[in-house]
Amino acid sequence: MPIWLQAALWGLMAGSALVLGALGGYFLALPQRAVAAIMAFGSGVLISALSLGLMEEAFRRGGFDATALGFLGGALVFTAANWALARHGARHRKRSGTQQSDSSGSGAAIALGSLLDGIPESIVIGLSLIGGGKVSVIAVAAIFLSNLPEGLSSAAGMKKAGRSPLYVFGMWTTIALACSLASLAGYTVFRHFSDDVIGATTATAAGAILAMLADTMVPEAYEVAHDFSGLITVAGFLAAFVLAHMAA
């Protein structure tokens, strides 16, 4: 199978967790505390993938300067875009309660915000195939496991805000397909670039993901799970750590 097609399929697989999570969040009456616990676990998984996989890979390819600049740049770009979208109704796009607004214009902002969250993760999958042609199992697993609670929490909030099933599942299916295209682009666009550029891009994605965690996923987990969110996050980190070493 061509590597470019592998990149697209791996991205689609990771993105499909958003749809699966949305199905659970929309049709299952899960307690908010359970949703928050799953969100905390997913946060820990992503933090583990960032620290043990993405940043080390970025440093190996591009060195300290490219990694540092890319990491800070990714966080800056995400924060600026997230701030702009928050002003148009996407601030609570991952919230499972009644915080999501159903005001005019917020639907598009929520969709764009969710897309903003998913693209950096998917690009990383494509980047991992450059060189050896072997996908990073820990990256795919971490993104899949973190996408499940993201889709679950957001869809539960959308339902409470009065969103129709067509809107909710149409949005998440579109974003899952966009994740596949982003993974494809991560491989096809960057495979001809130098290691410095690939390393900086990997670090940029890592910075955006960490900023997303701090701005959106962690607040949702803490507000509902309270004192247990830290412990559950640590469990998610440990699960990804074990998975990474089993796959090595």
Side-chain angles (χ1 to χ4, degrees):
M1 183 184 298
I3 297 178
W4 64 266
L5 182 56
Q6 293 182 43
L9 292 177
W10 282 117
L12 182 62
M13 177 181 174
S16 67
L18 293 167
V19 181
L20 294 175
L23 284 167
Y26 200 90
F27 291 112
L28 299 178
L30 295 176
Q32 264 194 280
R33 192 161 282 230
V35 175
I38 297 171
M39 185 73 78
F41 187 87
S43 298
V45 168
L46 267 186
I47 292 170
S48 181
L50 284 171
S51 55
L52 302 177
L54 299 187
M55 290 300 286
E56 286 296 329
E57 177 65 14
F59 181 75
R60 184 183 70 81
R61 285 185 176 271
F64 180 76
D65 54 347
T67 301
L69 288 172
F71 191 64
L72 291 173
L76 179 62
V77 170
F78 175 87
T79 301
N82 189 55
W83 175 81
L85 289 168
R87 291 169 62 87
H88 291 85
R91 182 182 302 278
H92 301 298
R93 61 184 176 274
K94 283 186 170 66
R95 308 304 294 271
S96 58
T98 57
Q99 299 94 338
Q100 290 191 37
S101 171
D102 197 29
S103 60
S104 176
S106 66
I110 289 172
L112 289 173
S114 300
L115 189 62
L116 173 68
D117 299 335
I119 293 302
E121 301 171 347
S122 304
I123 290 175
V124 164
I125 295 175
L127 290 172
S128 74
L129 286 160
I130 296 175
K134 184 178 179 181
V135 74
S136 170
V137 175
I138 182 59
V140 174
I143 294 167
F144 185 92
L145 289 174
S146 65
N147 279 344
L148 277 172
E150 180 178 341
L152 191 153
S153 179
S154 184
M158 288 179 184
K159 181 179 181 180
K160 291 175 182 177
R163 303 284 178 190
S164 69
L166 180 62
Y167 173 87
V168 174
F169 298 110
M171 188 193 84
W172 286 117
T173 300
T174 300
I175 291 174
L177 292 174
C179 289
S180 176
L181 293 176
S183 182
L184 173 63
Y187 174 75
T188 58
V189 172
F190 291 96
R191 65 192 176 106
H192 299 299
F193 285 84
S194 66
D195 279 349
D196 275 350
V197 173
I198 295 172
T201 304
T202 302
T204 298
I209 293 169
L210 185 56
M212 179 271 291
L213 283 169
D215 284 349
T216 59
M217 291 182 71
V218 172
E220 165 67 10
Y222 178 77
E223 181 171 326
V224 180
H226 300 304
D227 295 334
F228 293 100
S229 62
L231 178 62
I232 298 168
T233 302
V234 169
F237 185 100
L238 180 60
F241 176 82
V242 171
L243 181 62
H245 284 76
M246 288 178 62

